[in-house]
């Protein structure tokens, strides 16, 4: 413990005693990867901001979320950012802009996620009345993952003949 001039121990914000002058804090090397200077810091900070943007969207704070997502998109074009942007535009009824972002996300995302994104894209196409495009996108999703249940359900709606 580091005594102060009055003899009392000085404590930090976290309640732990401050290290003596000239001594390193043994727990100080456990830093947050989002704020340290390591090469992984940028990625960790980016993921932290993505999570924050998703929480803002869940709280219906779309303007704040979109502002943060645009900054992230300016740094690096990423399928997760595009997907969240598409969600924000879809919530406000801007389906054409949402389609543009979701289409970009669907073809940038890992192959394992692609059927899900393509199914979401087909759903948006159906909302704007483009059944032919929705049907093509669903068929593409099913070529990647034939047993994907949401895509099979959407295929019945999108590809059904009237």
């Amino acid at each position: 413990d580091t005594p102060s001039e009055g003899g009392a121990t000085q404590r930090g914000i976290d309640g732990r005693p401050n290290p003596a002058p000239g001594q390193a804090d043994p727990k100080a090397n456990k830093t947050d990867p989002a704020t340290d200077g390591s090469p992984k810091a940028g990625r960790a900070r980016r993921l932290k901001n993505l999570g924050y943007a998703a929480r803002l969207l869940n709280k219906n704070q779309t303007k704040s979320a979109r502002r943060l997502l645009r900054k992230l998109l300016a740094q690096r074009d990423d399928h997760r950012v595009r997907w969240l942007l598409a969600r924000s535009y879809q919530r406000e009824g801007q389906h054409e802009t949402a389609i543009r972002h979701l289409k970009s996300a669907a073809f940038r995302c890992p192959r394992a996620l692609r059927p899900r994104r393509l199914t979401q894209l087909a759903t948006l196409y159906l909302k704007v009345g483009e059944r032919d495009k929705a049907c093509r996108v669903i068929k593409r999703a099913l070529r990647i993952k034939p047993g994907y249940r949401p895509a099979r359900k959407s295929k019945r709606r999108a590809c059904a003949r009237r």
Side-chain angles (χ1 to χ4, degrees):
D1 288 353
T2 308
S4 64
E5 291 179 18
T9 303
Q10 292 180 343
R11 298 197 176 271
I13 295 173
D14 58 359
R16 290 186 297 128
N18 287 333
Q23 255 186 343
D25 185 1
K27 294 189 179 182
N29 59 0
K30 294 183 180 179
T31 59
D32 181 7
T35 57
D36 71 0
S38 72
K40 294 182 181 179
R43 184 172 191 280
R45 188 172 28 260
R46 185 173 179 74
L47 290 174
K48 199 173 193 176
N49 284 334
L50 274 171
Y52 180 61
R55 284 191 301 278
L56 286 173
L57 276 177
N58 288 336
K59 293 178 181 177
N60 291 323
Q61 297 178 5
T62 53
K63 288 192 188 330
S64 299
R66 198 176 298 148
R67 195 174 319 118
L68 175 59
L69 289 167
R70 281 193 199 117
K71 284 181 187 178
L72 291 171
L73 191 61
Q75 293 169 5
R76 182 170 169 244
D77 199 350
D78 184 8
H79 69 95
R80 293 169 289 214
V81 174
R82 292 269 183 188
W83 177 68
L84 287 171
L85 273 169
R87 276 182 52 199
S88 75
Y89 285 113
Q90 183 180 3
R91 283 187 178 180
E92 291 187 347
Q94 298 180 33
H95 297 299
E96 295 299 327
T97 308
I99 286 172
R100 192 180 78 234
H101 285 290
L102 195 52
K103 189 187 290 186
S104 180
F107 296 104
R108 281 183 169 80
C109 70
R111 187 171 173 84
L113 267 179
R114 199 161 295 150
R116 181 184 220 171
R117 297 292 176 253
L118 289 171
T119 304
Q120 292 166 343
L121 180 60
T123 303
L124 270 176
Y125 277 136
L126 285 173
K127 281 186 179 179
V128 295
E130 297 187 31
R131 292 177 75 84
D132 293 337
K133 285 184 181 180
C135 186
R136 281 196 306 265
V137 169
I138 283 296
K139 286 179 179 177
R140 189 172 190 163
L142 287 170
R143 276 196 306 270
I144 296 169
K145 190 173 179 182
Y148 189 55
R149 193 173 286 167
R152 288 194 331 236
K153 275 185 174 179
S154 291
K155 183 180 180 188
R156 285 192 291 264
R157 284 185 300 151
C159 302
R161 296 286 170 212
R162 288 186 178 188

